[in-house]
Amino acid sequence: MGLEMELLLLAWSYFRHRKFQLCADLCMQMLEKSPYDQIEWILKARALNEVVYIDEIDIDQEGIAGMILNKNAQVPRPGTSLKLPGSNQTGGPSPAVRPITQAGIPITGFLRPSVQSGRPSTMEQAIRTPRTAYTAYPITSSSGRFFKLVMALFEYIFHHENDVKTAVDLAALSTEHSQYKDWWWKVQIGECYYRLGMYLEAEKQFKSALKQQEMVDTFLYLAKVYISLDQPVTALNLFKQGLDKFPGEVTLLCGIARIYEEMNNISSATEYHKEVLKQDNTQVEVTACTGSNHFYSDQPEAALWFYRRFLQKGVYNCQLFNNLGLCCFYAQQYDMTLTSFEHALSLAENEEEVAEVWHNLEHVAVGIGDMNLAHQCFRLGLVNSNNRAETYNNLAVLEMRKGHVKHMGDLQRSYIAAQKSEAAFPDHLGT
């Protein structure tokens, strides 16, 4: 008995220190001797869920259902849809200065999971694109051990095994057993419906759960449904209702700011970013977005101050030093410009990141009037990534200034080919 307790404490220690695979393996060893021990069974299920942990609220990968809805939807009014964002409402530079996506949405200063993975452009890609692992919902306290076991089983089926059909059946039976009074199970059914693309059914479940128990996560899930239905105004109203119940909640404020960013209302997004920083000045996403907004509002000194805060937090990567180099250059702190770009090149993890750094060095060389250095930067950028449309275009402009018309024509053809194969990259990386 003593040895089993020591092994259980060791497994729990592995779990607390986020060594989830070691925890699961140790629990499996204990279960081989005692297959019906519920504590080890629950701990193993939680550990396996945590191995594949990704925050599901931030994941918004469009599947077949979303593509069908978008295909059949009518053209919305500007400012009421994320598919047709409104015009820039700031007093600063126009969207032509700030890089934007093909959908017209401005590039933010933070690379979120939803934009990192990208959306499938065809039905075949939506079918072939594998679903990533989803977040494990924290196990809540319950009056009976039976419900804890069922909750752990549901989470394992839904998050680890990705068997949505079995998970929704189990959740429906559990909801019926609780006489439809358990808000947690309604949220889980809503998650299953959302995963299956049944947004209206998911909306009903989340609304019913909110009537029983108002939780921040439920507001976030319901807002995600409205965003999938391309109803950003409804999502904004929901977030504001949530703020009435949970004043100063950072996740709700961030949700409002994200929607305003995607609607190209940068001024309103900036106001909510400021409110987030008042509540939590260590929030990474808002710090990066605020620095990006200052940079594109012709305030590189202020942007530099925000990006330096990441160095104080211990962030040390290519994207950060790339941004620092640009801010130093436009703030006329030339002594730190090349040093920052050297750090960025040394920290680049792949050829695309190297090409991004050389692309920004191109602008530095053009800014100081050194066209030979700019030409070399263009060439080095294409060596690392030969499908960058912007680099071909800029190199063609340099060849035109030199009078090399033949070279300019070849580069323009390469520019058109690159533009067809892949959209132009922004010159300002997100942190």
Side-chain angles (χ1 to χ4, degrees):
M1 186 67 180
L3 179 59
E4 293 179 0
M5 184 61 66
E6 290 180 2
L7 292 176
L8 180 60
L9 291 175
L10 180 60
W12 179 247
S13 177
Y14 282 147
F15 184 87
R16 293 290 301 272
H17 289 85
R18 303 188 66 81
K19 298 178 180 180
F20 301 121
Q21 193 60 53
L22 292 176
C23 175
D25 295 340
L26 187 56
C27 289
M28 189 61 194
Q29 294 179 10
M30 292 186 286
L31 286 172
E32 289 178 354
K33 298 179 180 179
S34 303
Y36 299 105
D37 284 351
Q38 298 175 357
I39 297 178
E40 290 88 342
W41 190 84
I42 293 177
L43 185 58
K44 177 187 175 182
R46 292 187 63 185
L48 291 175
N49 287 338
E50 292 291 342
V51 168
V52 296
Y53 177 86
I54 295 177
D55 193 352
E56 189 173 354
I57 296 176
D58 286 337
I59 295 294
D60 187 20
Q61 189 172 16
E62 189 176 36
I64 299 176
M67 296 178 65
I68 295 175
L69 285 174
N70 294 334
K71 183 178 180 180
N72 298 332
Q74 297 178 352
V75 179
R77 292 178 299 171
T80 62
S81 169
L82 300 178
K83 306 296 187 297
L84 186 63
S87 59
N88 188 27
Q89 302 180 26
T90 65
S94 63
V97 176
R98 186 188 185 108
I100 59 176
T101 64
Q102 288 182 319
I105 300 174
I107 297 295
T108 63
F110 187 83
L111 196 59
R112 305 186 182 98
S114 59
V115 299
Q116 185 175 9
S117 58
R119 294 170 176 256
S121 57
T122 63
M123 197 73 70
E124 290 76 9
Q125 291 179 2
I127 296 174
R128 295 174 183 174
T129 301
R131 299 287 304 196
T132 56
Y134 286 81
T135 180
Y137 199 91
I139 293 180
T140 58
S141 60
S142 179
S143 58
R145 182 175 295 180
F146 172 76
F147 284 102
K148 289 184 178 180
L149 291 173
V150 177
M151 288 177 178
L153 178 61
F154 170 84
E155 290 178 343
Y156 177 80
I157 295 173
F158 181 74
H159 300 298
H160 189 273
E161 296 299 317
N162 198 19
D163 188 352
V164 183
K165 184 180 182 300
T166 304
V168 73
D169 291 340
L170 177 61
L173 292 173
S174 301
T175 305
E176 183 179 355
H177 183 76
S178 63
Q179 299 179 353
Y180 305 95
K181 296 180 180 180
D182 193 334
W183 65 271
W184 190 87
W185 282 113
K186 292 183 179 180
V187 172
Q188 308 315 308
I189 295 176
E191 289 186 51
C192 293
Y193 284 151
Y194 182 87
R195 183 83 70 86
L196 294 171
M198 303 167 63
Y199 300 133
L200 297 180
E201 288 76 6
E203 177 189 7
K204 294 178 182 178
Q205 295 294 330
F206 291 138
K207 282 185 175 180
S208 179
L210 281 175
K211 290 180 180 179
Q212 291 183 342
Q213 181 70 40
E214 292 175 337
M215 300 292 291
V216 175
D217 281 359
T218 311
F219 279 104
L220 296 174
Y221 281 122
L222 184 55
K224 186 178 177 182
V225 171
Y226 289 134
I227 292 174
S228 298
L229 293 172
D230 196 20
Q231 299 178 10
V233 177
T234 306
L236 286 174
N237 294 333
L238 177 66
F239 278 132
K240 293 175 182 178
Q241 292 176 13
L243 287 174
D244 293 337
K245 305 295 181 180
F246 304 95
E249 175 59 39
V250 172
T251 54
L252 298 177
L253 293 170
C254 287
I256 296 176
R258 289 181 182 180
I259 294 178
Y260 277 131
E261 278 186 338
E262 295 190 15
M263 294 175 67
N264 205 7
N265 191 343
I266 304 300
S267 59
S268 298
T270 302
E271 293 299 323
Y272 279 94
H273 286 158
K274 292 179 181 178
E275 188 63 29
V276 171
L277 292 177
K278 290 179 183 179
Q279 303 294 331
D280 181 10
N281 59 5
T282 63
Q283 222 282 341
V284 175
E285 176 183 346
V286 173
T287 303
C289 291
T290 304
S292 178
N293 291 335
H294 281 298
F295 179 84
Y296 289 112
S297 298
D298 199 20
Q299 298 174 350
E301 297 87 355
L304 190 60
W305 186 81
F306 279 96
Y307 285 128
R308 281 176 174 171
R309 295 182 64 179
F310 286 107
L311 291 178
Q312 298 172 353
K313 296 177 182 179
V315 178
Y316 204 78
N317 57 29
C318 172
Q319 290 84 356
L320 176 60
F321 281 100
N322 197 12
N323 290 347
L324 285 171
L326 284 174
C327 292
C328 289
F329 174 71
Y330 288 106
Q332 299 182 2
Q333 298 184 16
Y334 302 118
D335 55 331
M336 293 295 298
T337 301
L338 293 180
T339 303
S340 298
F341 283 123
E342 286 177 356
H343 283 300
L345 286 172
S346 64
L347 295 171
E349 297 180 353
N350 51 58
E351 293 182 348
E352 284 295 333
E353 291 184 355
V354 174
E356 292 283 357
V357 179
W358 284 118
H359 179 73
N360 288 320
L361 279 169
E362 300 161 8
H363 293 281
V364 173
V366 172
I368 63 178
D370 192 341
M371 297 305 167
N372 291 328
L373 176 61
H375 192 275
Q376 293 177 3
C377 292
F378 285 134
R379 292 294 185 183
L380 289 172
L382 291 176
V383 167
N384 290 277
S385 179
N386 61 357
N387 62 345
R388 296 180 57 85
E390 286 187 350
T391 303
Y392 281 116
N393 183 73
N394 296 340
L395 187 56
V397 173
L398 282 184
E399 295 292 349
M400 181 188 66
R401 291 182 179 180
K402 294 180 179 181
H404 301 163
V405 180
K406 182 179 182 300
H407 293 170
M408 182 190 70
D410 296 338
L411 290 168
Q412 286 291 354
R413 285 189 289 271
S414 300
Y415 161 73
I416 295 173
Q419 198 173 36
K420 289 180 180 179
S421 62
E422 187 172 353
F425 288 87
D427 63 344
H428 188 65
L429 287 177
T431 301

